[in-house]
Amino acid sequence: VINKNKFLTSFWLCLSVLSQLTGSGGVAGAAVSDEEQTGIEASREVEEQIGIYKGEFLANYVDAVGRRLVASLDNRPYRFRFKIVDQAESNAFALPGGHIYVSRGILAQINSEDELAGILAHEISHVMLRHHAQRISQVGTPGLLALPGQVVAKIVGDDISNMINAPIQSAGQVYLFSYSRSQESAADRAGMQLAAKAGYDPAALGNALDALGKTLLLAGGQQTSSFYNSHPTTSSRSADFYALATQIEWRATRPFAADRARFLDRLNGLWWGPQNPSNGVFQERKFVQADMRFTMTFPDGWRLVNAPGYVGAFEPNQKALIVLGGAARSMDLSASAQALVAKFKDEAAVSPAESRAIDFGSWPGYLVRFEDRSGVEPVNLYYMWVKSPRAAFMVIGLGTDEYCDQLENAAFSLRELSLGERGSIYSDRIRIAAAQENESLTELSSRSGNLWGNEMTAVMNGLSTDVVLEQGALIKVLRRGLYWR
């Protein structure tokens, strides 16, 4: 089930997927080749907008379990692919043509290979049953930029769309997909049977959903889009899981992770929380990127976005935005500016109000500013190119006159990250702690520096809060450390 989190922006592909696959015939009326092509295009957007989690050991493990499940299908019309998205929410979803994604958030919360297999088998079943979303709900404002004007429409919109890899009109949108109750039930049954056929416990998906529901409650219900929300375990559905599981014959296969130690070894070091420091993090409205060693401060009160290809801020009333993306390190600053000026003259007959070289500390840069007076309200357009020793950047900002100061303050705040700022970036990761004889979770947490409370630690490990641990029992804990040393 596709359910994107609050940090996912520009997920415009949802509309194109449905327009191609639904219509009068729905997915069932589409050729497999059409589904595969749509899936390829959609997966490209997923990976550009959410990002793929960098962890080869864990990614190979997920792929191996997925392939074992696929090998147990009676027929295989699709080329299935299994990947981990860099998403904190507990999420799993399938795209047409066999693209299956699980989030790092859901992987952190599972406690066995059987649970992973249950989740993957469920999503494989949605693909094999050729389900499509029955309902789309749009979260956020309908359309980002309400700034009329020919320059914005003809040139700047395309430039920003190219930077964020999505149409400017849909930037900042979140589309939530859900399946019908009958489709979910069908995927439950087919997924459990597939898991069992591959040698996994068919009841494990129910166990995983129960645990995810408890985690959500402990988090205060703050994950507005998660696998659990799209696969809610009502009392009747939970009973159905276990009733069906008792009717399915299965024989356990040899797992890829031979024991709990080897299973947890694959989760050790997994990032936890909404921001992955390797992609940069927001500290309130200041964005800091330790690896590329830059920082930029965005306007107060604007909606902040940190996507794999860009970082930016969007004014809530849709009257301004500013985005920063990468540029070719070999670019010539002056030549880039001159090419843009020529483009504006040729396509919109507009000359720059300002065009000059500018320094960002020791970093050279170039600024070009235009004024678009063709709409109801004048719009100021800012383009900047900046080169640091490690990277090159392009900044685009636009807004009505009242936002000029905020746009300029944000743009000119781009600078090198100081040593002190680099040292302020922390990382929260899943770590594995070995228990001492007769130790309680409270005692283990105190000794291991665990950031989770007792209830969360218990749920994350599939235990009761009053468990008495055996010597050497391996427990997932959450630890914080400096990201950059």
Side-chain angles (χ1 to χ4, degrees):
V1 171
I2 290 182
N3 254 330
K4 301 279 78 54
N5 68 20
K6 59 187 177 182
F7 300 105
L8 169 60
T9 62
S10 315
F11 198 63
W12 61 274
L13 64 99
C14 304
L15 298 181
S16 64
V17 169
L18 283 197
S19 66
Q20 294 179 57
L21 295 185
T22 56
S24 59
V27 171
V32 168
S33 59
D34 292 335
E35 292 182 67
E36 289 178 337
Q37 183 57 41
T38 300
I40 289 171
E41 295 171 2
S43 67
R44 186 179 301 120
E45 297 302 326
V46 166
E47 294 173 21
E48 288 175 345
Q49 298 302 322
I50 312 179
I52 297 301
Y53 185 76
K54 299 173 183 177
E56 187 175 355
F57 188 35
L58 182 57
N60 289 342
Y61 178 55
V62 170
D63 184 66
V65 175
R67 289 182 183 279
R68 174 177 281 177
L69 292 164
V70 170
S72 297
L73 291 169
D74 292 331
N75 67 89
R76 296 185 285 278
Y78 307 104
R79 179 173 173 260
F80 281 90
R81 305 159 181 85
F82 302 89
K83 295 184 180 181
I84 304 171
V85 285
D86 190 10
Q87 186 180 31
E89 275 78 358
S90 302
N91 203 2
F93 56 95
L95 297 180
H99 299 263
I100 309 294
Y101 295 92
V102 291
S103 69
R104 61 177 169 87
I106 203 168
L107 291 175
Q109 298 185 57
I110 61 176
N111 275 289
S112 70
E113 189 169 306
D114 293 272
E115 291 182 4
L116 172 60
I119 291 168
L120 295 178
H122 182 93
E123 298 305 329
I124 290 171
S125 297
H126 276 307
V127 175
M128 292 299 296
L129 294 168
R130 309 188 81 183
H131 289 163
H132 63 278
Q134 295 294 297
R135 175 175 61 85
I136 307 176
S137 57
Q138 184 175 334
V139 178
T141 53
L144 172 67
L145 201 59
L147 296 176
Q150 64 174 355
V151 178
V152 170
K154 289 178 61 176
I155 303 177
V156 186
D158 287 344
D159 289 342
I160 295 178
S161 295
N162 290 334
M163 180 182 289
I164 69 177
N165 291 306
I168 186 174
Q169 290 85 356
S170 61
Q173 300 294 318
V174 179
Y175 295 93
L176 306 183
F177 276 40
S178 65
Y179 293 113
S180 69
R181 182 173 297 178
S182 62
Q183 286 178 325
E184 284 296 348
S185 295
D188 286 345
R189 293 190 298 272
M192 292 174 71
Q193 290 165 352
L194 175 60
K197 190 175 180 181
Y200 291 108
D201 183 355
L205 177 60
N207 298 337
L209 282 172
D210 286 343
L212 291 171
K214 293 175 183 177
T215 304
L216 186 63
L217 289 175
L218 290 173
Q222 295 175 355
Q223 292 190 23
T224 56
S225 55
S226 71
F227 185 81
Y228 179 80
N229 284 345
S230 59
H231 304 74
T233 306
T234 62
S235 57
S236 61
R237 188 178 183 189
S238 182
D240 290 343
F241 271 124
Y242 298 114
L244 179 58
T246 62
Q247 302 170 22
I248 300 176
E249 293 184 4
W250 66 287
R251 180 178 296 176
T253 189
R254 181 180 176 86
F256 293 103
D259 52 33
R260 181 168 172 80
R262 289 176 174 82
F263 172 75
L264 292 178
D265 190 39
R266 288 162 167 81
L267 302 183
N268 189 30
L270 189 63
W271 297 112
W272 174 266
Q275 299 192 87
N276 181 341
S278 65
N279 298 329
V281 299
F282 276 106
Q283 296 176 340
E284 296 183 348
R285 60 192 181 95
K286 183 171 78 171
F287 181 76
V288 292
Q289 227 295 356
D291 296 335
M292 299 176 71
R293 301 193 183 180
F294 77 89
T295 180
M296 185 171 176
T297 301
F298 291 91
D300 188 28
W302 290 23
R303 184 159 44 87
L304 305 174
V305 174
N306 180 13
Y310 73 99
V311 62
F314 303 88
E315 196 276 324
N317 295 316
Q318 308 176 46
K319 290 190 174 183
L321 65 81
I322 184 167
V323 290
L324 176 147
R329 293 184 63 184
S330 60
M331 73 170 178
D332 180 278
L333 297 172
S334 179
S336 297
Q338 291 172 11
L340 181 73
V341 169
K343 180 180 178 180
F344 269 67
K345 286 183 178 178
D346 291 343
E347 297 186 19
V350 174
S351 296
E354 185 178 5
S355 180
R356 60 188 174 93
I358 186 171
D359 291 330
F360 293 78
S362 60
W363 297 352
Y366 210 100
L367 165 69
V368 178
R369 181 174 64 85
F370 298 91
E371 295 177 356
D372 183 2
R373 305 292 176 182
S374 60
V376 176
E377 290 186 83
V379 177
N380 293 274
L381 317 170
Y382 296 84
Y383 283 76
M384 288 193 336
W385 299 264
V386 184
K387 294 183 78 171
S388 79
R390 288 177 174 78
F393 309 99
M394 183 178 184
V395 178
I396 302 177
L398 64 159
T400 54
D401 288 345
E402 62 187 300
Y403 296 103
C404 282
D405 288 344
Q406 293 181 70
L407 289 170
E408 291 183 7
N409 289 338
F412 296 139
S413 71
L414 178 63
R415 60 175 175 80
E416 183 176 7
L417 198 65
S418 70
L419 286 172
E421 288 170 319
R422 273 182 269 168
S424 70
I425 302 172
Y426 291 90
S427 61
D428 292 343
R429 294 184 184 235
I430 304 294
R431 295 299 184 188
I432 312 303
Q436 296 177 356
E437 184 69 24
N438 296 326
E439 194 170 33
S440 68
L441 287 180
T442 300
E443 291 167 335
L444 179 140
S445 294
S446 177
R447 179 173 57 80
S448 64
N450 182 20
L451 298 180
W452 286 324
N454 239 29
E455 288 184 287
M456 181 65 81
T457 303
V459 170
M460 292 293 291
N461 288 278
L463 300 171
S464 63
T465 55
D466 59 354
V467 65
V468 177
L469 299 170
E470 297 179 356
Q471 177 72 34
L474 299 178
I475 303 297
K476 287 184 287 185
V477 297
L478 182 66
R479 288 184 186 145
R480 175 169 294 172
L482 286 175
Y483 173 71
W484 184 87
R485 297 179 184 276

